[in-house]
Amino acid sequence: MIWFAIAGRCGAGFTLLGVYAWRRKKPMWFWSGSTVEEAQIADVPAYNRANGRMWLAFSLPFWASAILGFWSEALATALVAGN
């Protein structure tokens, strides 16, 4: 249950970040602190959708690991560590 809570929260956080990026009107930033000027992007909605898909794809191993943890903690850990 502890693994499910931790991995599930990580997955939820990245999923919410992806949805936020997908719906954002201005260009989405990156965690590294770098920002992208709106003038540098030809299609801001397409850029934000791609950024949102990136975060959603990053959340998938955490969701899978949370569910897999009920059967095998070692496989669940390996899935996240290999991410």
Side-chain angles (χ1 to χ4, degrees):
M1 290 304 279
I2 294 172
W3 183 261
F4 179 78
I6 293 170
R9 284 185 182 162
C10 289
F14 289 125
T15 298
L16 290 173
L17 186 60
V19 170
Y20 176 74
W22 195 298
R23 294 182 178 186
R24 188 170 158 85
K25 301 293 183 210
K26 294 187 178 189
M28 184 63 181
W29 64 88
F30 289 94
W31 284 113
S32 64
S34 63
T35 58
V36 180
E37 298 296 325
E38 200 166 344
Q40 296 175 321
I41 301 171
D43 188 3
V44 173
Y47 171 81
N48 285 343
R49 281 192 306 272
N51 195 313
R53 279 192 303 268
M54 175 190 68
W55 288 112
L56 290 173
F58 189 71
S59 74
L60 292 177
F62 289 99
W63 286 117
S65 176
I67 295 168
L68 187 60
F70 284 115
W71 291 280
S72 173
E73 291 178 19
L75 286 175
T77 305
L79 179 64
V80 172
N83 188 11

